[in-house]
Amino acid sequence: MVRKEGVAHIPRPAAEQGMARLMMRLPATRATIRATAVSRPHLYELCEAYGEACAALDRMRKDVSADPAIITEYEIICAEIEIDVIRILFDE
């Protein structure tokens, strides 16, 4: 996706849901997440990916026939996205 300099990024609903989930998961960073997303629009893409991964994980956890290995894989994906967001927030 190509973004033009100076054009405001309009977050999609999935990105907003992902951001809300991240804010619940990382409460100490709530204000920082929203403020950083304004100046670093790629954070919205991570939020969107996080929201989608969490939603898939929620569905699999409710499905008794879900493969435990896939559930573990999605748990790892969610944790890795959380780490990526923290790195972006604190420029590590």
Side-chain angles (χ1 to χ4, degrees):
M1 174 183 286
V2 177
R3 290 204 177 89
K4 294 182 181 179
E5 198 67 34
V7 175
H9 175 72
I10 301 170
R12 295 179 291 270
E16 285 295 323
Q17 287 180 331
M19 184 179 291
R21 284 180 180 257
L22 279 165
M23 289 177 174
M24 287 189 297
R25 181 78 173 126
L26 308 168
T29 65
R30 285 180 183 155
T32 308
I33 289 172
R34 190 161 299 280
T36 302
V38 171
S39 63
R40 297 184 184 175
H42 65 279
L43 182 58
Y44 279 113
E45 293 171 12
L46 273 178
C47 290
E48 185 172 17
Y50 186 76
E52 291 171 358
C54 287
L57 182 57
D58 289 345
R59 286 190 303 273
M60 286 187 280
R61 285 179 172 157
K62 292 176 185 174
D63 182 358
V64 294
S65 65
D67 183 348
I70 301 295
I71 291 172
T72 300
E73 185 175 335
Y74 270 81
E75 289 170 341
I76 292 168
I77 290 168
C78 290
E80 288 174 345
I81 294 172
E82 290 169 10
I83 291 167
D84 288 344
V85 168
I86 289 168
R87 284 186 181 136
I88 289 169
L89 296 178
F90 300 104
D91 288 322
E92 294 180 5

